[in-house]
Structures are given as C-alpha cells and as structure tokens.
Amino acid sequence: KQSMEPTTIQEVIQIYKPIVDKAIADMLPQVPNPRSEDPAEAEKVGFTRETMEGYFGVPVYAYDVESATNSLLEPMWDLLYRGGKRWRPILLVLLTEALGGEVDKILPVAYLTELVHNGSLIVDDIEDSSEYRRGEPCSYHKYGIDISINAGCAMYFFPLIIFRDMRKNGTFSNEIILKAYEFYGEELTNVHLGQGLDIWWHNGKKSPSYEEYYQMCSYKTGTLARLSARLAALFAGAEDDVITSIGRFSESIGVAFQIQDGKKYLETFLIG
C-alpha cells in the first residue's frame, strides 16, 4: 500500500514509476546514464561475468563482456533512460494490489512488460523509418540497424529469465509458471500480427473496415496491456474468468491509446 492516495492518472504514475524503474534496474544490468550528473553512475558497468552467466549460462569458451554490454545493454538502456510513462507495468502492480496479490513477488514481471514494450519501439522505429523517439534520434540512427534490430529482439527474450527464476526459487507453482509462459507466447504472437497488419495498411495495401482496425489495435497496442493484466491476475491467484475479463478490460485501454495516437498523427502530419 502507498502512503498517499492518488486522485489522477498523473499522480498514480508519479508514485508508481520509481517502483517500476527500480524493478527494471534490479533485473537488467545498468550502464551509466549520460543524462545524469550523479557520480554513482560511474559504478554502473553493464554486464559482468557473473551477470552474463545468469542470463546466458556458463560459457563453453569465453565471454566478451565489454562487447556484450556495448551491443546489447547500451541500446537497451539508452531508450529506457529517455523516460516513458511505464503505464503497462504500473497497471500490473495496481491490478496485483486490487486482486490481493503479493506485489513484491510480481515486481520482476514489471520489468518484463516494460522491456518488451521498449524492444517493440526499437524495431517499430526501423520499420516506420522514424527519426525521433522520446525527443532524441531513434536507436537505429545512433547504433545502426543491425545492432538495433538485435537489441530490440533481445528485449523480447531477456525477461523470460524471470519465469525461470520463479520456477527455480519456488515462488509460484510449475502450473502457474507454465500458464505464464503460455500467456507470454500468445501475446507476443498477437503483437506481431497487429504490427504486420498496421504496416500493410499504412503502406496503402488495403483500407481496413472498422472492425478490422479495432482488431489490429487490440493486438498491436492492446496486447501488452492485456498481458500485464493477465499475468497480474494469474500470479494473484485469480480464477480463469477473472483473468479473461480483466485482460479484456486492459486491452481496451491499449486500443484507446492506439486510436488516440493515430488521431495525433493525422492532426500533426496530415491536417497540419
């Protein structure tokens, strides 16, 4: 429970964003943030041999720790350090609280939902030939297309270490962990369908119906909100019907977000 009761979305984000950011930093080895003047930034070294073995296992030959940090962690943290609302993992935490779950146990999952989202942004910017993301040049302009595609895709898989560790530590039952894997696989498959449809349509290949457009939104942007909700409900011990209902509710938030984003694009670039 938080010490103060927020009354607006902005206040909710202000309270919970530091909690989510700490969960991300606890899971993903940090590199120095060039935007910060804190002397402690110099202590952030990225991967170490120990953390690499935690993610990738014991090497048969040898790890190049420095190159792994530069090619993976640098582009990942570059985007994460730029900001973002973190509303998907915040949604996960709020729903866990509402359903009576143990927030401390699911905080690593907040890392999962946010890392996947940011990975999709890196790849999306390449697909859309975008110039800027969060006020700075897109990742592929800074690191190159090859490094950015690889780092963006790695952000889909890095968080799976969470489910592995939960199983090893006995945090949740094997049955729950298996369902979490299933939810993750389903929603990551869905998000690629949604993105594929959006690309096809905005390349002028087809004008979709309203129903087709809403379905695209539910997969492209609703997916990660739905995943956050389904995982929150699952780990809180909710019944299947509750997991489904709360997933659909959260999906609608993502659909609204996508429609609003499209409206802003039309007003900015087409209407002027």
Side-chain angles (χ1 to χ4, degrees), residues 101-115:
E102 297 182 57
V103 172
D104 289 345
K105 285 186 176 182
I106 63 86
L107 274 178
V109 186
Y111 157 68
L112 179 147
T113 56
E114 186 62 22
L115 205 70

Side-chain angles (χ1 to χ4, degrees), residues 115 124 176 184 208-209 220 269 271:
L115 205 70
D124 181 79
I176 294 297
Y184 187 81
S209 67
K220 176 181 170 72
F269 295 101
I271 299 175

Side-chain angles (χ1 to χ4, degrees), residues 24-71:
I24 296 171
D26 287 344
M27 292 300 304
L28 188 67
Q30 288 184 277
V31 299
N33 182 358
R35 302 160 189 82
S36 173
E37 297 180 357
D38 187 345
E41 290 295 321
E43 300 175 7
K44 299 174 181 177
V45 298
F47 279 127
T48 63
R49 180 183 173 86
E50 181 181 5
T51 55
M52 286 200 70
E53 289 184 0
Y55 268 93
F56 308 107
V58 177
V60 176
Y61 304 104
Y63 283 136
D64 180 349
V65 176
E66 181 180 1
S67 295
T69 295
N70 292 337
S71 64

Side-chain angles (χ1 to χ4, degrees), residues 2-41:
Q2 301 304 309
S3 59
M4 58 179 289
E5 293 296 331
T7 58
T8 67
I9 293 176
Q10 289 76 17
E11 289 176 350
V12 169
I13 291 174
Q14 184 178 10
I15 293 171
Y16 283 87
K17 188 174 181 291
I19 298 172
V20 169
D21 284 340
K22 184 179 184 303
I24 296 171
D26 287 344
M27 292 300 304
L28 188 67
Q30 288 184 277
V31 299
N33 182 358
R35 302 160 189 82
S36 173
E37 297 180 357
D38 187 345
E41 290 295 321

Side-chain angles (χ1 to χ4, degrees), residues 245-261:
S245 297
I246 210 163
R248 290 298 303 273
F249 166 78
S250 301
E251 169 194 304
S252 67
I253 300 174
V255 171
F257 188 89
Q258 178 66 32
I259 292 172
Q260 180 189 49
D261 191 59

Side-chain angles (χ1 to χ4, degrees), residues 18 23 40 54 73 76 129 133 185 191 199 203 228 237 260 267 271:
L73 296 180
M76 290 179 183
S129 299
R133 172 68 65 179
V191 78
I199 292 171
N203 283 337
S228 297
Q260 180 189 49
E267 291 175 344
I271 299 175

Side-chain angles (χ1 to χ4, degrees), residues 77 91 155 193 204 213 223 249:
W77 274 110
L91 176 66
M155 293 170 90
L193 171 57
Y213 176 75
T223 286
F249 166 78

